Structure formats: C-alpha cells, structure tokens
Amino acid sequence: EVSRLLWSDIDLEADGGPQWTIRSSPKKGGVTTLPISPILTPLLIDRKERGLEGPFGGRHAVMKLGWAKFKLKYSKYGKYDHHCMRHSFVTRIAARDGREIAAILARHSSIEMSQRYDHRSIAGLREVLTKDSVAS
C-alpha cells in the first residue's frame, strides 16, 4: 500500500499531526487514516520540497500518473482504470498465445502469476473435450 501513496494522500499540516490516507477497496479495508511517524515526517518534507514523484516513488505511483496523463489525452478511455486494462490485455494474450507469452509481456516473475488471467469458459473447455474425443 505504501508504494501506491501519492502526495495528495499525505496531510503534513493535519490538526492531530501529520497523517496519510490509504484508499483501498472495501474488501481490503476501505479508507484508513494513519498518523505518520515523527521519524518519517522530515524525510517526507524533504522529498516533497525536492519535487520527487510521490512520497515513496513506487512503480505503481508512476504507472498511475502515466495512466492519468493517457486518459487526459484520450478521453474515450476515461472510465477505465489501469488495472482493468492491464488485466484485459493479459487475459486476451493468455487465451490467444498462452500463459508463457502473457507472463513475459506482463513481466510476471512466474507463469503461475499468469494463471490468474486464465479465464477459460465452460463452453471453451467443452469444445476442447469435443475436439479431443473426435480425434481419438
């Protein structure tokens, strides 16, 4: 969660002291506000003053910013989020070209991760069994 934080999630001037807001789906806890450790506060202030991307500059924050810029340029994609588009892409590649290719293109560390994108339908499985029984 920390790598996903943006500067807009951090309030260094909050009444009760600096705090950050973590936003996730209701299944993962929803919105939570946590105090920032006094040890981290000067580090965060320094990063912000230096204009660094996000408080912790993780890969996710960069992708999120890039996706936001893409949606501004191509408004027809405005209702989609990065995760859904990525999932859709990897699912189509896995179905068409196999899990190995999907794993490479998605930069997954293992083929097992790409198994999550293998959404074969009952009709598709039935078709494979039918082809196999005819061939036998």
Side-chain angles (χ1 to χ4, degrees):
E1 297 292 338
V2 169
S3 69
R4 296 182 192 185
L5 291 173
L6 301 174
W7 285 118
S8 58
D9 298 318
I10 292 183
D11 183 359
L12 295 169
E13 308 295 326
D15 289 336
Q19 60 186 16
W20 58 41
T21 302
I22 299 172
R23 293 172 179 80
S24 58
S25 70
K27 290 180 185 176
K28 294 184 178 180
V31 177
T32 305
T33 302
L34 300 170
I36 296 175
S37 166
I39 296 170
L40 282 179
T41 304
L43 298 171
L44 290 172
I45 291 170
D46 179 60
R47 285 185 63 84
K48 190 170 187 177
E49 287 174 354
R50 289 189 293 144
L52 296 176
E53 167 94 30
F56 297 103
R59 182 174 58 103
H60 182 76
V62 172
M63 286 189 296
K64 190 173 180 179
L65 180 64
W67 184 245
K69 287 179 180 178
F70 177 84
K71 289 194 305 185
L72 283 173
K73 188 172 182 179
Y74 302 100
S75 60
K76 68 181 182 179
Y77 296 102
K79 64 183 178 180
Y80 301 104
D81 72 355
H82 173 264
H83 177 76
C84 291
M85 294 293 282
R86 177 181 164 82
H87 191 93
S88 176
F89 169 77
V90 177
T91 298
R92 287 193 319 273
I93 296 298
R96 188 182 68 211
D97 302 305
R99 277 186 243 150
E100 295 83 5
I101 298 298
I104 291 166
L105 291 174
R107 300 182 56 94
H108 290 153
S109 58
S110 69
I111 292 172
E112 288 77 20
M113 180 64 183
S114 297
Q115 286 177 321
R116 298 177 184 195
Y117 298 91
D118 192 356
H119 302 298
R120 298 177 199 205
S121 66
I122 295 295
L125 295 172
R126 187 176 292 125
E127 183 180 325
V128 170
L129 290 173
T130 302
K131 283 182 187 176
D132 183 62
S133 66
V134 171
S136 298

CSV table of all heavy atoms in Angstrom, one decimal, residues 84-98 102 117 119:
chain,number,residue,atom,x,y,z
A,84,CYS,N,-7.7,-2.6,-14.7
A,84,CYS,CA,-8.7,-3.3,-15.6
A,84,CYS,C,-8.2,-3.5,-17.0
A,84,CYS,O,-8.3,-4.5,-17.6
A,84,CYS,CB,-10.0,-2.6,-15.6
A,84,CYS,SG,-10.9,-2.7,-14.0
A,85,MET,N,-7.5,-2.4,-17.6
A,85,MET,CA,-7.0,-2.5,-18.9
A,85,MET,C,-5.9,-3.5,-19.0
A,85,MET,O,-5.8,-4.3,-19.9
A,85,MET,CB,-6.5,-1.1,-19.4
A,85,MET,CG,-7.6,-0.1,-19.5
A,85,MET,SD,-8.8,-0.5,-20.9
A,85,MET,CE,-7.8,0.0,-22.3
A,86,ARG,N,-5.0,-3.5,-18.0
A,86,ARG,CA,-3.9,-4.5,-17.9
A,86,ARG,C,-4.4,-5.9,-17.8
A,86,ARG,O,-4.0,-6.8,-18.5
A,86,ARG,CB,-3.0,-4.2,-16.7
A,86,ARG,CG,-1.9,-5.1,-16.6
A,86,ARG,CD,-1.0,-4.7,-15.3
A,86,ARG,NE,-0.2,-5.8,-14.9
A,86,ARG,CZ,1.0,-6.1,-15.4
A,86,ARG,NH1,1.5,-5.4,-16.4
A,86,ARG,NH2,1.7,-7.1,-15.0
A,87,HIS,N,-5.4,-6.1,-17.0
A,87,HIS,CA,-6.0,-7.4,-16.8
A,87,HIS,C,-6.6,-7.9,-18.1
A,87,HIS,O,-6.4,-9.1,-18.5
A,87,HIS,CB,-7.0,-7.4,-15.6
A,87,HIS,CG,-7.5,-8.8,-15.2
A,87,HIS,ND1,-6.9,-9.4,-14.2
A,87,HIS,CD2,-8.5,-9.6,-15.7
A,87,HIS,CE1,-7.5,-10.6,-14.1
A,87,HIS,NE2,-8.4,-10.7,-15.0
A,88,SER,N,-7.3,-7.0,-18.7
A,88,SER,CA,-8.0,-7.4,-20.0
A,88,SER,C,-6.9,-7.8,-21.1
A,88,SER,O,-7.1,-8.8,-21.8
A,88,SER,CB,-8.8,-6.2,-20.5
A,88,SER,OG,-9.4,-6.5,-21.8
A,89,PHE,N,-5.9,-7.0,-21.2
A,89,PHE,CA,-4.8,-7.3,-22.1
A,89,PHE,C,-4.2,-8.6,-21.8
A,89,PHE,O,-4.0,-9.4,-22.7
A,89,PHE,CB,-3.8,-6.1,-22.1
A,89,PHE,CG,-2.5,-6.5,-22.8
A,89,PHE,CD1,-2.5,-6.4,-24.2
A,89,PHE,CD2,-1.3,-6.8,-22.1
A,89,PHE,CE1,-1.3,-6.7,-24.9
A,89,PHE,CE2,-0.2,-7.1,-22.8
A,89,PHE,CZ,-0.2,-7.0,-24.2
A,90,VAL,N,-3.8,-8.9,-20.6
A,90,VAL,CA,-3.1,-10.1,-20.3
A,90,VAL,C,-4.0,-11.3,-20.4
A,90,VAL,O,-3.6,-12.4,-20.9
A,90,VAL,CB,-2.5,-10.0,-18.8
A,90,VAL,CG1,-1.8,-11.4,-18.4
A,90,VAL,CG2,-1.5,-8.9,-18.7
A,91,THR,N,-5.3,-11.1,-20.1
A,91,THR,CA,-6.2,-12.2,-20.3
A,91,THR,C,-6.3,-12.6,-21.8
A,91,THR,O,-6.3,-13.8,-22.2
A,91,THR,CB,-7.6,-11.8,-19.8
A,91,THR,OG1,-7.5,-11.6,-18.4
A,91,THR,CG2,-8.7,-12.9,-20.0
A,92,ARG,N,-6.4,-11.6,-22.7
A,92,ARG,CA,-6.5,-11.9,-24.1
A,92,ARG,C,-5.3,-12.5,-24.6
A,92,ARG,O,-5.3,-13.5,-25.4
A,92,ARG,CB,-6.8,-10.6,-24.9
A,92,ARG,CG,-8.2,-10.1,-24.7
A,92,ARG,CD,-8.6,-9.0,-25.7
A,92,ARG,NE,-7.6,-8.0,-26.0
A,92,ARG,CZ,-7.4,-6.9,-25.3
A,92,ARG,NH1,-8.2,-6.6,-24.2
A,92,ARG,NH2,-6.5,-6.0,-25.6
A,93,ILE,N,-4.1,-12.1,-24.2
A,93,ILE,CA,-2.8,-12.7,-24.6
A,93,ILE,C,-2.7,-14.1,-24.1
A,93,ILE,O,-2.3,-15.0,-24.9
A,93,ILE,CB,-1.6,-11.8,-24.1
A,93,ILE,CG1,-1.6,-10.4,-24.8
A,93,ILE,CG2,-0.3,-12.5,-24.4
A,93,ILE,CD1,-1.5,-10.4,-26.3
A,94,ALA,N,-3.1,-14.3,-22.9
A,94,ALA,CA,-3.1,-15.7,-22.3
A,94,ALA,C,-4.0,-16.7,-23.1
A,94,ALA,O,-3.6,-17.8,-23.4
A,94,ALA,CB,-3.4,-15.7,-20.9
A,95,ALA,N,-5.1,-16.2,-23.5
A,95,ALA,CA,-6.1,-17.0,-24.2
A,95,ALA,C,-5.6,-17.3,-25.7
A,95,ALA,O,-5.7,-18.4,-26.2
A,95,ALA,CB,-7.5,-16.4,-24.3
A,96,ARG,N,-5.0,-16.3,-26.3
A,96,ARG,CA,-4.6,-16.4,-27.7
A,96,ARG,C,-3.2,-17.0,-27.9
A,96,ARG,O,-3.0,-17.8,-28.7
A,96,ARG,CB,-4.6,-15.0,-28.3
A,96,ARG,CG,-4.4,-15.1,-29.9
A,96,ARG,CD,-4.3,-13.7,-30.5
A,96,ARG,NE,-3.1,-13.0,-30.0
A,96,ARG,CZ,-3.0,-11.7,-29.9
A,96,ARG,NH1,-4.1,-10.9,-30.1
A,96,ARG,NH2,-1.9,-11.1,-29.5
A,97,ASP,N,-2.3,-16.6,-27.0
A,97,ASP,CA,-0.9,-17.0,-27.2
A,97,ASP,C,-0.3,-17.9,-26.1
A,97,ASP,O,0.9,-18.3,-26.2
A,97,ASP,CB,0.0,-15.8,-27.4
A,97,ASP,CG,-0.5,-14.9,-28.5
A,97,ASP,OD1,-0.6,-15.4,-29.7
A,97,ASP,OD2,-0.8,-13.7,-28.3
A,98,GLY,N,-1.0,-18.1,-25.1
A,98,GLY,CA,-0.6,-19.0,-24.0
A,98,GLY,C,0.0,-18.2,-22.8
A,98,GLY,O,0.3,-17.0,-22.9
A,102,ALA,N,2.1,-14.5,-22.1
A,102,ALA,CA,1.4,-13.5,-21.2
A,102,ALA,C,2.3,-13.1,-20.0
A,102,ALA,O,2.4,-12.0,-19.7
A,102,ALA,CB,0.1,-14.0,-20.7
A,117,TYR,N,-5.0,-15.1,-14.9
A,117,TYR,CA,-5.6,-14.4,-16.1
A,117,TYR,C,-6.2,-15.5,-17.1
A,117,TYR,O,-6.6,-15.2,-18.2
A,117,TYR,CB,-4.6,-13.6,-16.9
A,117,TYR,CG,-4.0,-12.5,-16.0
A,117,TYR,CD1,-2.9,-12.6,-15.2
A,117,TYR,CD2,-4.7,-11.2,-16.0
A,117,TYR,CE1,-2.4,-11.6,-14.5
A,117,TYR,CE2,-4.2,-10.2,-15.2
A,117,TYR,CZ,-3.1,-10.4,-14.4
A,117,TYR,OH,-2.6,-9.3,-13.7
A,119,HIS,N,-9.0,-17.3,-18.0
A,119,HIS,CA,-10.4,-17.4,-17.7
A,119,HIS,C,-11.1,-18.2,-18.8
A,119,HIS,O,-11.9,-17.7,-19.6
A,119,HIS,CB,-11.0,-15.9,-17.8
A,119,HIS,CG,-10.4,-15.0,-16.8
A,119,HIS,ND1,-10.4,-15.2,-15.4
A,119,HIS,CD2,-9.6,-13.9,-16.9
A,119,HIS,CE1,-9.8,-14.3,-14.8
A,119,HIS,NE2,-9.3,-13.5,-15.7
